Amino acid sequence: MTITCEDCGERHRLERQISEPGPIWIVCHACELPLQAVLDGPVPAPAQTHAVWSDILDLSPGVRPAA
């Protein structure tokens, strides 16, 4: 997860795994302002994500010949 400071544009990457929904607070290293992000809920597992998109996009590996 990356949080971008709206004042200076500095991007901050969170190094730890976040498993519970709720607010996340960090301090910007460049301008020292507090930054907040809110995690709405757990991120779905990739298999669940692919299942949702499979009806919309073809996610199969490989290249198919043109028709």
Side-chain angles (χ1 to χ4, degrees):
M1 174 184 284
T2 302
I3 299 174
T4 303
C5 179
E6 292 180 5
D7 285 0
C8 70
E10 183 79 18
R11 294 177 57 135
H12 304 280
R13 181 166 176 82
L14 295 177
E15 299 294 329
R16 63 184 174 91
Q17 186 78 10
I18 298 174
S19 58
E20 293 185 23
I24 301 162
W25 287 93
I26 67 167
V27 174
C28 178
H29 301 294
C31 62
E32 299 184 357
L33 289 174
L35 305 174
Q36 180 188 28
V38 177
L39 183 62
D40 292 334
V43 178
Q48 293 171 338
T49 303
H50 289 181
V52 169
W53 283 100
S54 66
D55 292 335
I56 301 167
L57 299 172
D58 180 9
L59 298 175
S60 61
V63 176
R64 289 193 247 183

